[in-house]
Amino acid sequence: MQATSVLYDEEKQDNGTSEPVIDDSPFEMVRTAVSNKDTPSLPCLTFRSWVLGVVFCAALSFVNQFYWFRENSIVLGGFVVQLVSFPLGYLMALVLPKRQFNTFGFTWTLNPGPFNIKEHVIISIFSGASVGTAYGIDVVTIKRMWYKSGLGFGPSILFILTSQIMGYSFAGFSRKFLVYPAAMIWPAQLISVTLFRTFHETQSLGNWRFTRTQVFWSCFIVSFLWYFVPGVIFPALGFLSILCFAAPNNVIANQLGDAFNGVGMLNFSLDWSYISSAYTQSPIAIPWIYACNVFAGFVIIMWIATPIGYYTNTWDTQLMPLYSASVYTTNGSVFKIDQVMTDNGMLDEAKYASYGPLRLTFTFAMTYGLGFAGLINLIVYIALNYGANIVKQLREAHNMSEDVHMRLMRTYKEVPQWWYGVTFIITFSLAVVTCQVYNLMPWYWVIVATAIPFVFTVPIGIIQAISNQQPGLNVITEFIIGYARPGDPIANVTFKVYGYITMAQALSLVGDQKLGHYMKIPPRHLFIAQLVGTIIAAFVQLGVAFWLMDTVKDICTPEGYPFTCIQANTFFSASVIWGLVGPERMFGSSSIYHPVLYLFILGLVLPVPFWLLKRRFPTSWVQHIHTPLLFIASGFMPPAPSHVYTNWFIGCFFFNYLWHKYRNGQWNRYAFALSAGLDSGLAISGIITYFAFMNVKLPEWWGLETHHCPLAAHGKASA
């Protein structure tokens, strides 16, 4: 059948009333990025999209989970899939046979014709579940590596699947509020829409010498080959600490210059994994003004507040390293949880009273206060800057007639609500059984945890859909269960997974649903792709985690470098702080850390003067200050090596300021291809070097050392 397009951009459609049907989105940014036409006959869930979707989902799950355990963790994102799947899809269209098959009355073919944009989108949605590692793996890891009570693969996969797929149920329930209304824009998805359309609607090189695919593979090869230098031959290139080289025997120089236990001043890197890391993402992926805000927050927190707090010996922090995600005793030694726990994994209050209270580094303690401040700040900032717009768009969402995109989607069969209902019943029931049978937490706390995403998914989603900001509820969930079940660390982190991550996963999936809405992907195909992708990602990621924990010697310890599990170590420390010891002991009125809770006042007040200045001077430099971004770095400090933000910012300066400003056409065409190529080449090279050199002992020399600031690992008082 000849493909026909349903067009709305050139003609008005009669809806039986005197009012014409709006032929495009009422919002300019959507009109600019999203096509207001559709070709319903385009195939979507084809053999090609199945093969490439499953392959990319499994591949990214493997790579991202593999690097999650490493000191220099990176994340391969959706742009990699978009770029690489494009030529592969066209190649499959050229070589696969076009013969039709009949299976049980169902006619299908390996090759339905030219590779099209809908196949491209569904491949990206397939692999979207694999971009972030499942949060439940943190629980599995710390339970085995720190609490010495492995969960086993069967219970672990049940735990991960239930927490991930339950979020999908909430995504389905909230479609009416977060996907269908035109006022729910989801700005981040417009970038993906633009990239997809650029691939499929631009046919000629024009004045450009290279295609994006050529740039991608060129950068891939360069990055792949280069990583052998900092990754194997010369690891010291990842940590070029000027202060430590200049004054190797000076304690303060070591503490200020080190990336692991210091604040990373003048510590530079030639290793792309520390420039485009899992903590910062690619320096190309954030506008220059936003990068300046993030780096300013990093400087204030790490280079100003932290040294002041440390060198004034606030909370006796000089007994500990300047910067660390570990937890300590009052004499500065590492806190040993086996000294204060009962045989069933709970806190023994008598042992804890004898062993002594828990102590944190200044930065780590400040991080929690800044977490509260950042959450309050984001809410106030959004209320001041987007409040009127949110109210307006909510009213429009309620009263506005369907826009062109919703009308076009009426062509396709909707996913019945009972599909999501059955999904929820199954995952919730399995979650209750898993938590109760395997002693993760009592079954009734699963109900309480599930109530949190039930209440907050839609309001938080509305904020994200309009402002592109998502307030995090992780600290709130830790507080709730910390007070409800003090002394139970595993229950604390399990509650956090079901209470916070279920909502975060739901909103991630809702974002993909909005992408599918914009690109006119049949909803039932979208449902299948998201569900299958989530299941594949869970099995692959958990398999990688078990494989590494079984095979890597000294994993999750400094001796296991680069598999030091710094993200899991921070998660473990949080389980001790909020679960084992509990918020009342750590931050109650009798605790030395009680004052950090009052940092919420900073978050409450900080946006107000800048908002007033923006209203008074709307064209001044003040308009570029976005206070929520000032708190971004504190969310990863620790566990991130402290020099990653410096090197990321330098990358932002070159790529998103100089290149973007002086060669804007080049930047628009090649920036994301370059970023994806560098990230992909690094990721594959890191895996190959691991297998190739795992049993090879290289000759000892200075360049193999990554820690050139040895005095930073000790507290100033003990140095």
Side-chain angles (χ1 to χ4, degrees), residues 153-310:
F153 191 90
S156 298
I157 196 65
L158 284 174
F159 175 53
I160 291 166
L161 284 173
T162 54
S163 59
Q164 296 289 96
I165 298 177
M166 193 186 298
Y168 186 48
S169 305
F170 286 108
F173 294 146
S174 60
R175 290 171 299 166
K176 180 180 177 181
F177 307 100
L178 301 179
V179 177
Y180 299 158
M184 300 296 105
I185 293 173
W186 291 88
Q189 301 304 327
L190 298 179
I191 299 173
S192 295
V193 171
T194 303
L195 188 55
F196 280 122
R197 293 187 65 192
T198 301
F199 276 125
H200 292 269
E201 296 177 15
T202 302
Q203 301 297 327
S204 64
L205 279 172
N207 296 323
W208 301 104
R209 187 175 178 183
F210 304 105
T211 66
R212 289 183 181 84
T213 303
Q214 289 171 328
V215 169
F216 171 85
W217 286 111
S218 298
C219 293
F220 178 95
I221 293 170
V222 170
S223 180
F224 177 87
L225 295 175
W226 171 248
Y227 186 70
F228 279 82
V229 180
V232 179
I233 302 168
F234 200 170
L237 291 177
F239 307 90
L240 299 173
S241 176
I242 305 302
L243 292 178
C244 294
F245 293 153
N249 298 317
N250 185 289
V251 174
I252 294 178
N254 274 237
Q255 291 175 326
L256 295 180
D258 189 37
F260 297 104
N261 296 114
V263 296
M265 289 184 182
L266 298 179
N267 194 318
F268 304 106
S269 180
L270 296 178
D271 183 342
W272 183 252
S273 66
Y274 290 109
I275 300 170
S276 176
S277 70
Y279 311 104
T280 59
Q281 307 302 315
S282 170
I284 296 173
I286 183 171
W288 168 245
I289 291 298
Y290 291 174
C292 291
N293 280 262
V294 173
F295 188 67
F298 168 80
V299 170
I300 293 169
I301 295 165
M302 290 297 295
W303 290 0
I304 298 176
T306 293
I308 290 174
Y310 185 81

Side-chain angles (χ1 to χ4, degrees), residues 295-434:
F295 188 67
F298 168 80
V299 170
I300 293 169
I301 295 165
M302 290 297 295
W303 290 0
I304 298 176
T306 293
I308 290 174
Y310 185 81
Y311 293 116
T312 56
N313 201 29
T314 304
W315 307 318
D316 291 328
T317 51
Q318 289 192 5
L319 293 170
M320 296 164 273
L322 177 60
Y323 176 70
S324 173
S326 298
V327 288
Y328 298 89
T329 64
T330 52
N331 64 8
S333 59
V334 174
F335 191 91
K336 299 183 183 301
I337 59 172
D338 58 341
Q339 299 295 313
V340 298
M341 292 181 68
T342 63
D343 292 338
N344 62 351
M346 302 287 284
L347 179 72
D348 187 314
E349 295 187 16
K351 289 182 180 179
Y352 181 76
S354 173
Y355 189 64
L358 188 70
R359 291 290 180 260
L360 310 175
T361 62
F362 181 83
T363 312
F364 204 3
M366 284 286 290
T367 293
Y368 288 112
L370 291 171
F372 285 109
L375 178 59
I376 298 296
N377 177 272
L378 180 58
I379 294 171
V380 174
Y381 176 86
I382 290 172
L384 292 174
N385 292 276
Y386 296 96
N389 192 36
I390 288 174
V391 171
K392 176 186 174 184
Q393 290 184 215
L394 282 177
R395 288 174 178 167
E396 291 176 348
H398 181 71
N399 300 318
M400 186 185 295
S401 60
E402 292 180 348
D403 71 343
V404 62
H405 304 296
M406 189 65 232
R407 293 201 309 277
L408 289 173
M409 289 300 290
R410 294 292 184 195
T411 305
Y412 307 100
K413 289 184 178 180
E414 186 54 87
V415 178
Q417 201 76 347
W418 68 265
W419 287 20
Y420 292 105
V422 169
T423 303
F424 174 76
I425 292 170
I426 293 173
T427 53
F428 177 77
S429 302
L430 287 174
V432 168
V433 172
T434 301

